[in-house]
Amino acid sequence: MDFDSSLLLQQIINGLVLGSMYALIALGYTMVYGIINLINFAHGEVLMVGALTSWSAVGALQNWQPDMPGWALLALGLLAAALVCAVLNFCIEKIAYKRLRNSPRLAPLITAIGMSILLQTLAMIIWKPNYKPYPFLLPGAFDIGGATITYTQVLALGLTAVSLAVLSYIVSRTSLGRAMRATAENPRVAALMGVKPDWVISATFIIGAVLAAVAGVMWAANYGSVNHTTGF
């Protein structure tokens, strides 16, 4: 059996693209867990809402401006998804999780599972349960040694690299990052030193939501479909 180097390279590219999306999702999970020790099972559903919001926004923009270029549609869809996900995650933290911060760990865990089911159900009601075909807004691809990498995959890798760099800068070089690290270490002592834990936790949820939105839009754009179980 002959060794096919182009097939190996193609699988490496596919793995990098998929891994970049998982990295964005994992960052949102770990940031929240590091701050309040909560496994946010609803995080995948935030990704799903972002993907479906982008799908709706892109469809509406195509109907309004049929000649709008694909990159502009994708950018506006990503912006809409980020805004909706940020507001949604902020509300989830304030409504569902804030009152349970000092509760036994099982209570917020069950609440997170319930929130996940609730968001799935609401998405099924709003967007219907069928799969939605996400338009391929960036047609074209590069050929690298017999393997193919699409413009969408290049964008996914680029957005992940930029997101990781920006997040690393925020955490290590800004006052918000110092407050996040202090809150993760000891929220009570951080509060005594002037840090506002509520503000830090809300900011963490918003940042995680934006990362989930980016991952959701890139997932839908790369694989060409999205539905209410995408984040499950």
Side-chain angles (χ1 to χ4, degrees):
M1 183 176 180
D2 295 333
F3 176 73
D4 190 347
S5 60
S6 63
L7 179 60
L8 175 62
L9 182 58
Q10 185 66 63
Q11 295 306 318
I12 290 173
I13 291 172
N14 294 340
L16 286 173
V17 173
L18 182 59
S20 68
M21 299 177 195
Y22 283 157
L24 293 175
I25 300 168
L27 279 172
Y29 269 118
T30 54
M31 286 176 64
V32 170
Y33 184 80
I35 295 292
I36 59 174
N37 293 325
L38 168 69
I39 300 176
N40 184 15
F41 283 104
H43 191 68
E45 276 56 56
V46 174
L47 176 148
M48 171 268 296
V49 170
L52 286 170
T53 298
S54 175
W55 174 81
S56 298
V58 167
L61 288 169
Q62 284 180 324
N63 292 331
W64 179 53
Q65 291 287 346
D67 297 329
M68 185 176 291
W71 64 266
L73 289 170
L74 189 58
L76 292 174
L78 181 59
L79 178 61
L83 289 174
V84 170
C85 287
V87 173
L88 175 63
N89 226 23
F90 177 83
C91 293
I92 289 173
E93 192 276 324
K94 293 300 182 186
I95 296 172
Y97 299 149
K98 183 177 180 179
R99 299 175 185 271
L100 301 175
R101 288 178 193 168
N102 298 318
S103 301
R105 298 189 66 177
L106 187 60
L109 186 66
I110 294 173
T111 302
I113 295 173
M115 184 58 64
S116 173
I117 296 171
L118 175 63
L119 290 177
Q120 276 195 42
T121 304
L122 290 176
M124 184 171 60
I125 294 171
I126 295 171
W127 283 286
K128 310 305 178 186
N130 58 300
Y131 278 87
K132 282 78 179 169
Y134 198 94
F136 289 99
L137 300 174
L138 299 177
F142 298 106
D143 184 78
I144 304 174
T148 301
I149 180 170
T150 66
Y151 292 164
T152 302
Q153 291 175 327
V154 172
L155 179 62
L157 292 172
L159 283 177
T160 299
V162 171
S163 299
L164 293 177
V166 171
L167 184 61
S168 177
Y169 176 81
I170 290 174
V171 172
S172 61
R173 300 293 182 88
T174 66
S175 58
L176 172 60
R178 288 190 292 272
M180 290 169 65
R181 298 199 306 273
T183 304
E185 184 71 25
N186 193 319
R188 292 183 179 179
V189 174
L192 292 174
M193 299 300 292
V195 174
K196 297 179 180 178
D198 283 346
W199 179 75
V200 172
I201 293 170
S202 296
T204 302
F205 270 82
I206 289 172
I207 293 172
V210 172
L211 295 175
V214 173
V217 174
M218 288 297 98
W219 182 283
N222 184 52
Y223 294 106
S225 68
V226 61
N227 80 331
H228 69 285
T229 62
T230 297
F232 184 68

